[in-house]
Amino acid sequence: MNSDKQSDYEASLAEYSNRSAAIALLRQYRPYLEMIPSLRRPDESLITLPLPIVRLRHPTPTDKERGTGRSEATRLPCDVAILMCDPEWKIKTGVEIFIFIHRPQEDFSDLLGRWRQTQVWLDKDYEWLMPPRYQHMFSEGANTIYPLFVVFAETPERIKRGLQGACLPFVSQTLNWVAEDEIRGDGVMR
């Protein structure tokens, strides 16, 4: 695996785990930016979950009547989940956006397959395993899930054409942040 491409992926994953960077990413795809409950208070309007985990519920026919059943924690194949929240009521809304960052050596079928697997898993009843800061929030599954793919200049054109052909939104990212490991202690780039 090319270490430069792997570090681009890792830097992107780390960056989009931050709320303000996730909002900046959504600014590049306006329909999703408009889904943020409050553009005046965007930092209070979304939660970012890197490498998210959900608890899938598998009810048996008799459990459906009682509302019980077996459940299992599953890591979703997306890179970051963005959960929208009402800043006034401090509750999660029904919109969830899933970020898929093009990984090194990943081809179109692999990238698309991660989205399709996410759709299959989230077609069941599920709840989010929330970080401690948000464990008080109602974390049931969404009404609607949306994908957003992040590609790079080095991403093969066939992947971009495939995403266009599948009518899936993507943004082409230029890495303009500097990775911490590229700076020496005195602030000078190596």
Side-chain angles (χ1 to χ4, degrees), residues 11 21-22 28 52 60 62 66-67 72 84-85 90 92 113 121 129 137-138 161 174 181 185:
Q28 296 177 54
T60 62
T62 57
R66 292 189 308 244
E72 89 184 275
M84 299 298 174
C85 304
K90 307 288 189 216
K92 191 178 94 46
W121 278 332
L129 293 185
M137 293 186 89
F138 179 70
R161 282 194 315 272
T174 306
D181 57 349

Side-chain angles (χ1 to χ4, degrees), residues 102 106-108 111 151 155-163:
H102 179 239
E106 183 175 50
D107 215 333
F108 176 63
L111 183 60
V151 296
T155 299
E157 284 301 313
R158 70 178 170 271
I159 292 175
K160 297 172 188 174
R161 282 194 315 272
L163 292 171

Side-chain angles (χ1 to χ4, degrees), residues 160-174:
K160 297 172 188 174
R161 282 194 315 272
L163 292 171
Q164 284 176 327
C167 299
L168 293 169
F170 68 92
V171 295
S172 190
Q173 205 55 32
T174 306

Side-chain angles (χ1 to χ4, degrees), residues 8-18 50-51 79-80 101 177:
D8 288 351
Y9 168 79
E10 296 293 341
S12 298
L13 176 60
E15 190 70 13
Y16 300 138
S17 297
N18 180 299
L51 305 176
D79 299 298
V80 178
I101 303 167
W177 52 80

Side-chain angles (χ1 to χ4, degrees), residues 16 25-26 28-29 32 77-80 97-103 106-119 146-152 155 159-160 162-164 166-173:
Y16 300 138
L25 178 64
L26 296 180
Q28 296 177 54
Y29 189 70
Y32 289 178
C78 66
D79 299 298
V80 178
I97 299 173
F98 297 89
I99 308 301
F100 296 88
I101 303 167
H102 179 239
R103 295 175 177 171
E106 183 175 50
D107 215 333
F108 176 63
S109 62
D110 302 317
L111 183 60
L112 181 61
R114 290 198 291 134
W115 164 235
R116 297 300 186 218
Q117 185 61 58
T118 300
Q119 288 178 293
Y146 299 94
L148 182 61
F149 296 85
V150 176
V151 296
F152 304 97
T155 299
I159 292 175
K160 297 172 188 174
L163 292 171
Q164 284 176 327
C167 299
L168 293 169
F170 68 92
V171 295
S172 190
Q173 205 55 32

